[in-house]
């Protein structure tokens, strides 16, 4: 079913996300049962900077729906560029979109990505709900493994296509679990595994943002020539602090996000 409204798109993205990441629904339910109001801080989306799929193409439905560009970020090590968008209605989640800089990768990787992109029906990427379309191409386990040699990010997008990489619980909106260390302990006590790359908590009060995340759950994905069990999505937690002017910081911290990207790496 195609959707044409922002709320419809956000709903569809959440349903698709918990479908492949049931742990997020479990955490959402666990916090709700504690009497918490679970609000989304941001939704993270991934793409390639292929001319048909740049983050500027992908962001269009959000800009049409009232979102505005509010900042950009460079991740030289991961060869990524990202922008974030905020809505004037502050109850709506921030949208964070990153794109992989294809020109910094081998001709072999580019060849695979160009082949995948050529399978997308003309104009499909311009549809309002493309960001919930899932995988718009066919891909083999060999493609996946070849991409993985150069970039786990490229392999993830090839395998999962266009759907949220993660949603993020806004810790500031919680009443009981207001401290990120306490929240992490609570989650671990309840059996959830956290991403410890760079420490469980990324960032600090000094940079106005603390974040932690679960490890991506592994799911079985069908490829053209067989199945692989691979990391899918993760759930993130963010606590924001006021800046010098007293308003809550709304941006992101590149060095923290750098480590968070590793939540979908193999072997973690
Ligand atoms: Ni995030």
């Amino acid at each position: 079913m195609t959707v044409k409204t922002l709320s419809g798109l956000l709903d569809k993205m959440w349903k698709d996300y918990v479908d492949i990441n049931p742990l997020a629904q479990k955490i959402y339910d666990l916090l709700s049962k504690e009497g918490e109001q679970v609000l989304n801080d941001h939704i993270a989306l991934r793409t390639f900077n292929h001319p048909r799929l740049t983050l500027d193409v992908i962001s269009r439905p959000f800009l049409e729906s009232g979102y505005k560009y509010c900042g950009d970020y460079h991740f030289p090590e991961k060869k990524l560029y990202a922008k974030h968008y905020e809505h004037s209605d502050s109850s709506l989640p921030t949208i964070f979109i990153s794109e992989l800089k294809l020109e910094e990768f081998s001709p072999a990787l580019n060849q695979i990505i160009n082949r995948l992109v050529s399978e997308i029906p003309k104009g499909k990427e311009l549809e309002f709900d493309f960001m919930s379309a899932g995988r718009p191409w066919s891909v083999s386990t060999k493609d996946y493994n070849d991409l993985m040699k150069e970039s786990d990010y490229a392999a993830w997008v090839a395998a999962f296509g266009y759907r949220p990489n993660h949603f993020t619980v806004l810790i500031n909106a919680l009443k009981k679990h207001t401290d990120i260390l306490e929240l992490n302990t609570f989650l671990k006590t309840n059996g959830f595994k956290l991403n410890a790359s760079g420490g469980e908590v990324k960032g600090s009060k000094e940079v106005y943002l603390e974040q932690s995340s679960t490890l991506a759950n592994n799911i079985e994905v069908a490829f053209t020539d067989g199945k692989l069990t691979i990391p899918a999505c993760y759930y993130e937690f963010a606590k924001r602090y006021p800046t010098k002017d007293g308003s809550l910081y709304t941006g992101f911290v590149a060095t923290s996000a750098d480590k968070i990207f590793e939540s979908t790496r193999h072997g973690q």
Side-chain angles (χ1 to χ4, degrees), residues 42 44 96 166 168 211 234 236 252 260:
H42 65 272
F96 180 93
H166 61 267
T168 310
Q211 285 169 283
Y234 54 91
E236 195 172 283
F252 294 86
I260 292 249

Side-chain angles (χ1 to χ4, degrees), residues 142-208:
K142 184 180 184 312
D143 291 334
Y144 179 83
N145 288 324
D146 284 350
L147 293 172
M148 185 58 85
K149 285 177 205 153
E150 290 189 59
S151 162
D152 54 286
Y153 182 106
W156 190 92
V157 179
F160 293 101
Y162 288 84
R163 51 165 43 112
N165 174 262
H166 61 267
F167 279 70
T168 310
V169 174
L170 176 62
I171 298 175
N172 300 60
L174 302 178
K175 289 188 184 70
K176 260 162 88 177
H177 303 286
T178 55
D179 180 276
I180 195 164
L181 290 173
E182 189 279 329
L183 176 65
N184 286 349
T185 305
F186 174 72
L187 293 170
K188 285 185 288 183
T189 307
N190 280 278
F192 297 99
K193 290 197 179 73
L194 300 181
N195 170 9
S197 170
E200 283 176 0
V201 177
K202 283 83 177 164
S204 63
K205 197 174 174 180
E206 285 64 43
V207 294
Y208 314 118

